[in-house]
Amino acid sequence: MIETAHKAYSRMNGSDTVVLCVHGIQGSPVQFDWLMERVPACVDLLCVLLPGHGKTAREFAKTGWREWVGYIDEIYRDLAARYRRVIYIGHSMGCLLGIIAAGRGAAWRSMILLACPLRLHLTFRYLRNNLKAAFQPGSADPYVSAIVKSNSISSDHPFGFLMYLKPYMGLIRLICIARKAVKQTDIPMVVFQSEKDEIVSAGSLKYFICDPNAITCILPDSGHSFYSAESKKTVVQNMLEVLQKCRGVEKE
């Protein structure tokens, strides 16, 4: 397993193709471990840590959507100057940032989007699981432990999330921008929606269903942060198919 410990991770071997992974709000590169370890060695890999993440709740509370959009723009310019192909993989808010970047001119060769939050649906399970993650971080519930593992924001108090107003207002702003940007891109993409997502509405898929460049897929027995073994297998197979189509990488 690749252990990122809430730090950016890169593997550069001089390939002409790179996979860029971007996590969601409060997320971390560590949640892509199961996917990163299956990226073929002949393809370069970069999993970023967004500004304000991997730090304290107080530092996180100072960041917002402009910093995140600007950061992805900067990452794209750097990668586009060095690679023929940049394949984008995003989770949650990371999906929004990739879509917005595409609307601003980022020529991703292909996009794989996990739990893209173009529409939100607050559920009781979301509140319950996040409270358990805050007060019972050692919970054996796989949906809760996945939240704990992916969270890169540290706080001395379980109610530290109350100071997150600016970042989460920024998330709402990103959703509004991405809803418009997604109509302006013709980049091939595969959009995965989790069957049991606690916060992203299945209605998010409506923005992709009529797009001839988009393929949508429901992942069974998976939530916003937790992915079942079968769902992981599906996403990995898709990623390898994308790489094979883009670069001729052999499927495993």
Side-chain angles (χ1 to χ4, degrees):
M1 176 182 290
I2 297 170
E3 179 53 60
T4 56
H6 303 318
K7 296 180 181 179
Y9 174 84
S10 65
R11 186 192 69 203
M12 305 300 182
N13 297 320
S15 174
D16 62 358
T17 302
V18 63
V19 171
L20 171 64
C21 297
V22 182
H23 62 80
I25 194 165
Q26 286 190 242
S28 163
V30 75
Q31 67 194 102
F32 289 108
D33 275 0
W34 57 273
L35 195 56
M36 289 191 291
E37 62 191 12
R38 297 298 301 277
V39 175
C42 60
V43 175
D44 284 0
L45 173 64
L46 173 62
C47 197
V48 300
L49 183 68
L50 292 171
H53 291 73
K55 299 179 179 180
T56 65
R58 190 172 299 278
E59 291 173 292
F60 172 66
K62 297 176 182 178
T63 58
W65 67 273
R66 289 185 176 83
E67 290 98 324
W68 299 327
V69 169
Y71 182 72
I72 296 303
D73 282 348
E74 182 180 344
I75 291 291
Y76 172 73
R77 286 193 294 269
D78 175 63
L79 295 180
R82 296 188 287 125
Y83 292 93
R84 289 181 59 194
R85 310 172 189 88
V86 184
I87 295 162
Y88 189 97
I89 301 179
H91 175 262
S92 193
M93 186 179 76
C95 301
L96 304 178
L97 294 173
I99 291 170
I100 291 169
R104 291 159 64 91
W108 313 118
R109 179 57 62 95
S110 187
M111 300 180 74
I112 298 174
L113 307 179
L114 302 167
C116 184
L118 289 176
R119 277 195 174 185
L120 300 179
H121 176 59
L122 183 63
T123 65
F124 172 74
R125 286 183 295 110
Y126 176 80
L127 298 174
R128 180 197 63 192
N129 290 349
N130 278 274
L131 285 173
K132 288 180 72 174
F135 291 96
Q136 303 174 28
S139 172
D141 185 327
Y143 291 85
V144 175
S145 60
I147 294 172
V148 174
K149 178 181 178 181
S150 65
N151 179 39
S152 67
I153 309 303
S154 62
S155 176
D156 295 331
H157 194 282
F159 287 108
F161 64 85
L162 293 176
M163 67 174 66
Y164 296 173
L165 181 61
K166 179 182 177 181
Y168 276 89
M169 289 301 293
L171 174 62
I172 301 302
R173 176 61 175 160
L174 291 176
I175 291 173
C176 296
I177 298 173
R179 284 177 179 175
K180 296 179 181 179
V182 75
K183 301 175 183 178
Q184 303 167 356
T185 178
D186 58 0
I187 295 173
M189 61 181 73
V190 182
V191 185
F192 291 101
Q193 170 68 29
S194 294
E195 180 185 41
K196 298 180 179 180
D197 198 303
E198 303 92 336
I199 187 66
V200 176
S201 168
S204 295
L205 292 182
K206 81 164 195 172
Y207 292 89
F208 303 100
I209 290 176
C210 295
D211 186 342
N213 298 294
I215 298 172
T216 60
C217 178
I218 302 293
L219 297 174
D221 300 320
S222 297
H224 192 68
S225 299
F226 170 76
Y227 289 90
S228 67
E230 188 62 30
S231 293
K232 289 180 179 179
K233 182 179 178 180
T234 298
V235 176
V236 168
Q237 287 178 336
N238 175 267
M239 177 188 70
L240 295 176
E241 288 173 1
V242 168
L243 290 172
Q244 182 184 42
K245 184 180 296 185
C246 290
R247 193 178 184 274
V249 174
E250 292 186 2
K251 290 175 63 178
E252 297 182 358

Short mmCIF file of all heavy atoms in Angstrom, two decimals, residues 143-182:
data_model
loop_
_atom_site.label_atom_id
_atom_site.label_comp_id
_atom_site.label_asym_id
_atom_site.label_seq_id
_atom_site.Cartn_x
_atom_site.Cartn_y
_atom_site.Cartn_z
N TYR A 143 -17.87 2.60 6.89
CA TYR A 143 -18.22 3.91 6.36
C TYR A 143 -17.62 5.02 7.24
O TYR A 143 -17.20 6.06 6.74
CB TYR A 143 -19.73 4.06 6.27
CG TYR A 143 -20.36 3.18 5.21
CD1 TYR A 143 -20.71 1.86 5.49
CD2 TYR A 143 -20.59 3.66 3.93
CE1 TYR A 143 -21.27 1.04 4.51
CE2 TYR A 143 -21.15 2.85 2.95
CZ TYR A 143 -21.49 1.54 3.24
OH TYR A 143 -22.04 0.73 2.28
N VAL A 144 -17.59 4.77 8.55
CA VAL A 144 -17.02 5.75 9.48
C VAL A 144 -15.50 5.74 9.42
O VAL A 144 -14.86 6.79 9.36
CB VAL A 144 -17.50 5.46 10.92
CG1 VAL A 144 -16.81 6.39 11.91
CG2 VAL A 144 -19.01 5.61 11.02
N SER A 145 -14.90 4.56 9.41
CA SER A 145 -13.44 4.47 9.38
C SER A 145 -12.88 5.07 8.10
O SER A 145 -11.77 5.63 8.10
CB SER A 145 -13.00 3.01 9.53
OG SER A 145 -13.50 2.20 8.49
N ALA A 146 -13.63 4.99 7.00
CA ALA A 146 -13.18 5.60 5.74
C ALA A 146 -13.15 7.12 5.86
O ALA A 146 -12.25 7.78 5.32
CB ALA A 146 -14.10 5.19 4.60
N ILE A 147 -14.12 7.69 6.59
CA ILE A 147 -14.13 9.13 6.82
C ILE A 147 -12.92 9.54 7.66
O ILE A 147 -12.23 10.51 7.36
CB ILE A 147 -15.43 9.56 7.53
CG1 ILE A 147 -16.63 9.33 6.62
CG2 ILE A 147 -15.36 11.02 7.96
CD1 ILE A 147 -17.97 9.55 7.30
N VAL A 148 -12.66 8.78 8.71
CA VAL A 148 -11.53 9.07 9.60
C VAL A 148 -10.22 9.01 8.82
O VAL A 148 -9.35 9.87 8.95
CB VAL A 148 -11.51 8.08 10.78
CG1 VAL A 148 -10.24 8.29 11.62
CG2 VAL A 148 -12.75 8.24 11.64
N LYS A 149 -10.07 7.97 8.00
CA LYS A 149 -8.83 7.79 7.24
C LYS A 149 -8.59 8.92 6.26
O LYS A 149 -7.46 9.40 6.10
CB LYS A 149 -8.87 6.47 6.50
CG LYS A 149 -7.62 6.20 5.64
CD LYS A 149 -7.73 4.89 4.90
CE LYS A 149 -6.48 4.67 4.02
NZ LYS A 149 -6.56 3.40 3.25
N SER A 150 -9.65 9.37 5.59
CA SER A 150 -9.47 10.37 4.53
C SER A 150 -9.36 11.80 5.06
O SER A 150 -8.83 12.67 4.37
CB SER A 150 -10.64 10.30 3.55
OG SER A 150 -11.86 10.65 4.17
N ASN A 151 -9.83 12.05 6.28
CA ASN A 151 -9.82 13.41 6.82
C ASN A 151 -8.41 13.89 7.13
O ASN A 151 -7.69 13.29 7.93
CB ASN A 151 -10.67 13.47 8.09
CG ASN A 151 -10.66 14.85 8.71
OD1 ASN A 151 -10.71 15.85 8.00
ND2 ASN A 151 -10.60 14.91 10.03
N SER A 152 -8.01 14.98 6.50
CA SER A 152 -6.65 15.50 6.70
C SER A 152 -6.61 16.72 7.60
O SER A 152 -5.55 17.34 7.77
CB SER A 152 -6.03 15.85 5.34
OG SER A 152 -6.70 16.96 4.75
N ILE A 153 -7.76 17.10 8.17
CA ILE A 153 -7.81 18.29 9.02
C ILE A 153 -7.79 17.87 10.48
O ILE A 153 -8.66 17.13 10.94
CB ILE A 153 -9.08 19.11 8.74
CG1 ILE A 153 -9.23 19.39 7.23
CG2 ILE A 153 -9.05 20.41 9.52
CD1 ILE A 153 -8.04 20.10 6.62
N SER A 154 -6.82 18.37 11.22
CA SER A 154 -6.70 18.02 12.63
C SER A 154 -7.34 19.10 13.50
O SER A 154 -7.30 20.28 13.18
CB SER A 154 -5.23 17.85 13.02
OG SER A 154 -4.52 19.06 12.83
N SER A 155 -7.97 18.66 14.58
CA SER A 155 -8.60 19.60 15.50
C SER A 155 -8.44 19.09 16.93
O SER A 155 -8.47 17.88 17.18
CB SER A 155 -10.08 19.75 15.17
OG SER A 155 -10.73 20.59 16.10
N ASP A 156 -8.26 20.01 17.85
CA ASP A 156 -8.12 19.65 19.26
C ASP A 156 -9.48 19.38 19.90
O ASP A 156 -9.55 18.90 21.04
CB ASP A 156 -7.41 20.77 20.04
CG ASP A 156 -5.98 20.96 19.58
OD1 ASP A 156 -5.37 19.98 19.12
OD2 ASP A 156 -5.48 22.10 19.67
N HIS A 157 -10.54 19.68 19.18
CA HIS A 157 -11.88 19.54 19.74
C HIS A 157 -12.81 18.93 18.70
O HIS A 157 -12.76 19.31 17.53
CB HIS A 157 -12.41 20.92 20.18
CG HIS A 157 -13.62 20.86 21.06
ND1 HIS A 157 -14.89 20.62 20.58
CD2 HIS A 157 -13.75 20.97 22.41
CE1 HIS A 157 -15.75 20.60 21.58
NE2 HIS A 157 -15.08 20.82 22.70
N PRO A 158 -13.64 17.98 19.06
CA PRO A 158 -14.54 17.36 18.08
C PRO A 158 -15.51 18.32 17.41
O PRO A 158 -16.05 18.01 16.36
CB PRO A 158 -15.28 16.30 18.92
CG PRO A 158 -15.12 16.72 20.34
CD PRO A 158 -13.79 17.38 20.41
N PHE A 159 -15.72 19.49 18.03
CA PHE A 159 -16.60 20.48 17.42
C PHE A 159 -15.80 21.54 16.64
O PHE A 159 -16.30 22.60 16.31
CB PHE A 159 -17.47 21.16 18.47
CG PHE A 159 -18.56 20.29 19.01
CD1 PHE A 159 -18.49 19.79 20.30
CD2 PHE A 159 -19.64 19.94 18.21
CE1 PHE A 159 -19.50 18.97 20.80
CE2 PHE A 159 -20.66 19.13 18.70
CZ PHE A 159 -20.59 18.63 20.00
N GLY A 160 -14.55 21.20 16.31
CA GLY A 160 -13.71 22.13 15.55
C GLY A 160 -14.28 22.44 14.18
O GLY A 160 -13.98 23.47 13.59
N PHE A 161 -15.15 21.54 13.67
CA PHE A 161 -15.74 21.75 12.34
C PHE A 161 -16.63 22.99 12.28
O PHE A 161 -16.97 23.47 11.19
CB PHE A 161 -16.54 20.51 11.92
CG PHE A 161 -17.74 20.22 12.77
CD1 PHE A 161 -18.95 20.83 12.52
CD2 PHE A 161 -17.65 19.34 13.83
CE1 PHE A 161 -20.06 20.56 13.30
CE2 PHE A 161 -18.76 19.05 14.62
CZ PHE A 161 -19.96 19.67 14.36
N LEU A 162 -17.01 23.53 13.43
CA LEU A 162 -17.89 24.70 13.45
C LEU A 162 -17.21 25.94 12.86
O LEU A 162 -17.90 26.90 12.52
CB LEU A 162 -18.35 24.98 14.89
CG LEU A 162 -19.26 23.91 15.50
CD1 LEU A 162 -19.56 24.25 16.96
CD2 LEU A 162 -20.55 23.77 14.71
N MET A 163 -15.88 25.91 12.75
CA MET A 163 -15.18 27.07 12.20
C MET A 163 -14.95 26.93 10.69
O MET A 163 -14.25 27.73 10.09
CB MET A 163 -13.84 27.29 12.91
CG MET A 163 -12.81 26.19 12.68
SD MET A 163 -11.18 26.59 13.40
CE MET A 163 -11.54 26.58 15.15
N TYR A 164 -15.57 25.93 10.06
CA TYR A 164 -15.31 25.66 8.65
C TYR A 164 -16.22 26.42 7.70
O TYR A 164 -16.40 26.01 6.55
CB TYR A 164 -15.47 24.16 8.36
CG TYR A 164 -14.50 23.23 9.07
CD1 TYR A 164 -14.67 21.86 8.99
CD2 TYR A 164 -13.44 23.73 9.82
CE1 TYR A 164 -13.79 21.00 9.63
CE2 TYR A 164 -12.56 22.88 10.48
CZ TYR A 164 -12.74 21.51 10.38
OH TYR A 164 -11.89 20.66 11.02
N LEU A 165 -16.83 27.49 8.12
CA LEU A 165 -17.82 28.19 7.32
C LEU A 165 -17.26 28.62 5.96
O LEU A 165 -17.88 28.36 4.91
CB LEU A 165 -18.36 29.41 8.06
CG LEU A 165 -19.43 30.22 7.30
CD1 LEU A 165 -20.64 29.35 7.01
CD2 LEU A 165 -19.81 31.46 8.10
N LYS A 166 -16.10 29.27 5.93
CA LYS A 166 -15.55 29.78 4.68
C LYS A 166 -15.28 28.67 3.66
O LYS A 166 -15.72 28.77 2.51
CB LYS A 166 -14.27 30.58 4.93
CG LYS A 166 -13.65 31.13 3.65
CD LYS A 166 -12.35 31.88 3.92
CE LYS A 166 -11.71 32.34 2.62
NZ LYS A 166 -10.43 33.06 2.86
N PRO A 167 -14.59 27.59 4.04
CA PRO A 167 -14.36 26.52 3.05
C PRO A 167 -15.64 25.91 2.51
O PRO A 167 -15.75 25.63 1.30
CB PRO A 167 -13.53 25.50 3.84
CG PRO A 167 -12.88 26.28 4.92
CD PRO A 167 -13.89 27.32 5.30
N TYR A 168 -16.63 25.70 3.38
CA TYR A 168 -17.84 25.05 2.91
C TYR A 168 -18.74 25.99 2.11
O TYR A 168 -19.46 25.54 1.20
CB TYR A 168 -18.59 24.41 4.07
CG TYR A 168 -18.03 23.04 4.37
CD1 TYR A 168 -16.97 22.87 5.25
CD2 TYR A 168 -18.53 21.91 3.71
CE1 TYR A 168 -16.43 21.60 5.49
CE2 TYR A 168 -17.99 20.65 3.94
CZ TYR A 168 -16.94 20.51 4.83
OH TYR A 168 -16.40 19.27 5.04
N MET A 169 -18.69 27.28 2.38
CA MET A 169 -19.38 28.23 1.52
C MET A 169 -18.68 28.25 0.15
O MET A 169 -19.34 28.39 -0.89
CB MET A 169 -19.37 29.63 2.14
CG MET A 169 -20.26 29.76 3.36
SD MET A 169 -22.01 29.38 3.00
CE MET A 169 -22.40 30.75 1.91
N GLY A 170 -17.37 28.07 0.18
CA GLY A 170 -16.61 27.98 -1.07
C GLY A 170 -17.01 26.76 -1.88
O GLY A 170 -17.06 26.79 -3.11
N LEU A 171 -17.29 25.65 -1.19
CA LEU A 171 -17.75 24.44 -1.87
C LEU A 171 -19.05 24.69 -2.62
O LEU A 171 -19.22 24.25 -3.77
CB LEU A 171 -17.93 23.31 -0.85
CG LEU A 171 -18.54 22.01 -1.39
CD1 LEU A 171 -17.64 21.39 -2.44
CD2 LEU A 171 -18.79 21.04 -0.23
N ILE A 172 -19.98 25.40 -2.00
CA ILE A 172 -21.24 25.73 -2.65
C ILE A 172 -21.00 26.58 -3.90
O ILE A 172 -21.62 26.37 -4.95
CB ILE A 172 -22.18 26.49 -1.69
CG1 ILE A 172 -22.47 25.63 -0.44
CG2 ILE A 172 -23.47 26.86 -2.39
CD1 ILE A 172 -23.09 24.29 -0.75
N ARG A 173 -20.06 27.50 -3.78
CA ARG A 173 -19.71 28.34 -4.93
C ARG A 173 -19.14 27.49 -6.07
O ARG A 173 -19.49 27.68 -7.24
CB ARG A 173 -18.69 29.41 -4.50
CG ARG A 173 -18.18 30.29 -5.61
CD ARG A 173 -19.28 31.07 -6.29
NE ARG A 173 -18.74 31.99 -7.27
CZ ARG A 173 -19.46 32.51 -8.26
NH1 ARG A 173 -20.75 32.20 -8.38
NH2 ARG A 173 -18.91 33.34 -9.12
N LEU A 174 -18.30 26.54 -5.74
CA LEU A 174 -17.72 25.65 -6.75
C LEU A 174 -18.79 24.82 -7.45
O LEU A 174 -18.70 24.57 -8.65
CB LEU A 174 -16.68 24.73 -6.11
CG LEU A 174 -15.39 25.39 -5.62
CD1 LEU A 174 -14.51 24.36 -4.92
CD2 LEU A 174 -14.63 26.03 -6.77
N ILE A 175 -19.78 24.37 -6.69
CA ILE A 175 -20.87 23.60 -7.29
C ILE A 175 -21.58 24.44 -8.36
O ILE A 175 -21.86 23.95 -9.46
CB ILE A 175 -21.87 23.14 -6.21
CG1 ILE A 175 -21.23 22.08 -5.30
CG2 ILE A 175 -23.15 22.59 -6.84
CD1 ILE A 175 -22.07 21.70 -4.11
N CYS A 176 -21.87 25.69 -8.03
CA CYS A 176 -22.56 26.57 -8.98
C CYS A 176 -21.72 26.79 -10.24
O CYS A 176 -22.26 26.76 -11.37
CB CYS A 176 -22.87 27.91 -8.32
SG CYS A 176 -24.04 27.80 -6.94
N ILE A 177 -20.43 26.99 -10.07
CA ILE A 177 -19.55 27.22 -11.22
C ILE A 177 -19.43 25.95 -12.07
O ILE A 177 -19.49 25.99 -13.30
CB ILE A 177 -18.15 27.67 -10.75
CG1 ILE A 177 -18.24 29.00 -10.00
CG2 ILE A 177 -17.20 27.81 -11.94
CD1 ILE A 177 -16.94 29.42 -9.35
N ALA A 178 -19.29 24.80 -11.40
CA ALA A 178 -19.11 23.54 -12.12
C ALA A 178 -20.35 23.15 -12.91
O ALA A 178 -20.26 22.54 -13.97
CB ALA A 178 -18.73 22.44 -11.14
N ARG A 179 -21.54 23.47 -12.41
CA ARG A 179 -22.77 23.14 -13.13
C ARG A 179 -22.80 23.82 -14.50
O ARG A 179 -23.33 23.27 -15.47
CB ARG A 179 -23.99 23.59 -12.32
CG ARG A 179 -24.32 22.70 -11.14
CD ARG A 179 -25.49 23.28 -10.37
NE ARG A 179 -25.86 22.44 -9.22
CZ ARG A 179 -26.79 22.77 -8.34
NH1 ARG A 179 -27.44 23.92 -8.46
NH2 ARG A 179 -27.07 21.96 -7.33
N LYS A 180 -22.24 25.01 -14.57
CA LYS A 180 -22.18 25.72 -15.85
C LYS A 180 -21.02 25.20 -16.70
O LYS A 180 -21.16 25.00 -17.91
CB LYS A 180 -22.02 27.22 -15.61
CG LYS A 180 -23.21 27.86 -14.90
CD LYS A 180 -22.97 29.34 -14.66
CE LYS A 180 -24.15 29.97 -13.93
NZ LYS A 180 -23.94 31.43 -13.65
N ALA A 181 -19.88 24.95 -16.05
CA ALA A 181 -18.69 24.53 -16.78
C ALA A 181 -18.85 23.16 -17.41
O ALA A 181 -18.30 22.89 -18.49
CB ALA A 181 -17.47 24.53 -15.85
N VAL A 182 -19.61 22.26 -16.76
CA VAL A 182 -19.74 20.90 -17.28
C VAL A 182 -20.45 20.89 -18.63
O VAL A 182 -20.25 19.97 -19.44
CB VAL A 182 -20.48 20.00 -16.26
CG1 VAL A 182 -21.97 20.31 -16.24
CG2 VAL A 182 -20.23 18.53 -16.57
#
